């Protein structure tokens, strides 16, 4: 009788372990599928952002944005000889158009907002070795 109970317990424990491992493998499979979908979405988003970055970085787009904030193209450039510090060429101030005259009246902090590349920093918790 004890041998039969022992064999039954071994079989039940083995079946329970197999069931548990099967459930864990199934959960892991669902997690992998979810993470692969998320990876695909992030890859597509990254590609879209790269395309937008390339489009916004074209010379035509930069010229358009410069005109919008009141910049004008230079008509007669001058150069600085870095060895001697001499200015080569003559320059004249750029003529202001109506749009740039309007922008001249706007305070600088309003006309060109400060660049914000990153979100506001969160609290720094450190790595735990700052006190050493």
């Amino acid at each position: 009788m004890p041998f039969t109970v022992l064999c039954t317990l071994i079989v039940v424990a083995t079946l329970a372990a197999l069931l548990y491992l099967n459930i864990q493998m199934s959960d892991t499979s669902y997690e992998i599928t979810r993470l692969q979908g998320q990876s695909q979405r992030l890859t597509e988003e990254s590609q879209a952002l790269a395309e937008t970055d390339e489009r916004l970085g074209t010379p035509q787009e930069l010229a358009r944005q410069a005109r919008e904030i009141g910049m004008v193209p230079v008509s007669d450039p001058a150069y600085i000889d870095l060895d001697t510090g001499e200015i080569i060429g003559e320059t004249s101030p750029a003529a202001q158009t109506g749009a740039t005259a309007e922008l001249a009246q706007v305070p600088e902090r309003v006309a060109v907002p400060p660049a914000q590349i990153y979100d506001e920093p969160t609290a720094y918790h450190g790595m735990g070795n700052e006190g050493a």
Side-chain angles (χ1 to χ4, degrees), residues 50-121:
E51 290 173 9
T52 302
D53 184 43
E54 287 179 20
R55 182 181 51 81
L56 292 176
T58 60
Q60 297 84 3
E61 181 65 22
L62 292 174
R64 185 191 64 76
Q65 290 175 1
R67 281 191 308 275
E68 284 181 0
I69 63 171
M71 298 177 86
V72 294
V74 65
S75 57
D76 51 351
Y79 303 96
I80 298 175
D81 184 356
L82 295 178
D83 291 334
T84 64
E86 178 184 351
I87 298 176
I88 302 170
E90 292 293 323
T91 63
S92 61
Q96 284 191 345
T97 62
T100 57
E102 292 173 10
L103 283 175
Q105 304 301 324
V106 179
E108 182 181 335
R109 60 183 166 76
V110 177
V112 181
Q116 293 183 343
I117 297 173
Y118 303 106
D119 295 335
E120 292 296 321

Side-chain angles (χ1 to χ4, degrees), residues 11-39:
V11 169
V12 169
T14 303
L15 289 176
L18 285 173
L19 180 64
Y20 176 77
L21 290 175
N22 192 11
I23 291 171
Q24 290 300 319
M25 286 175 37
S26 176
D27 288 346
T28 303
S29 173
Y30 285 123
E31 182 71 14
I32 288 172
T33 303
R34 184 186 66 80
L35 290 174
Q36 285 174 339
Q38 182 180 6
S39 174

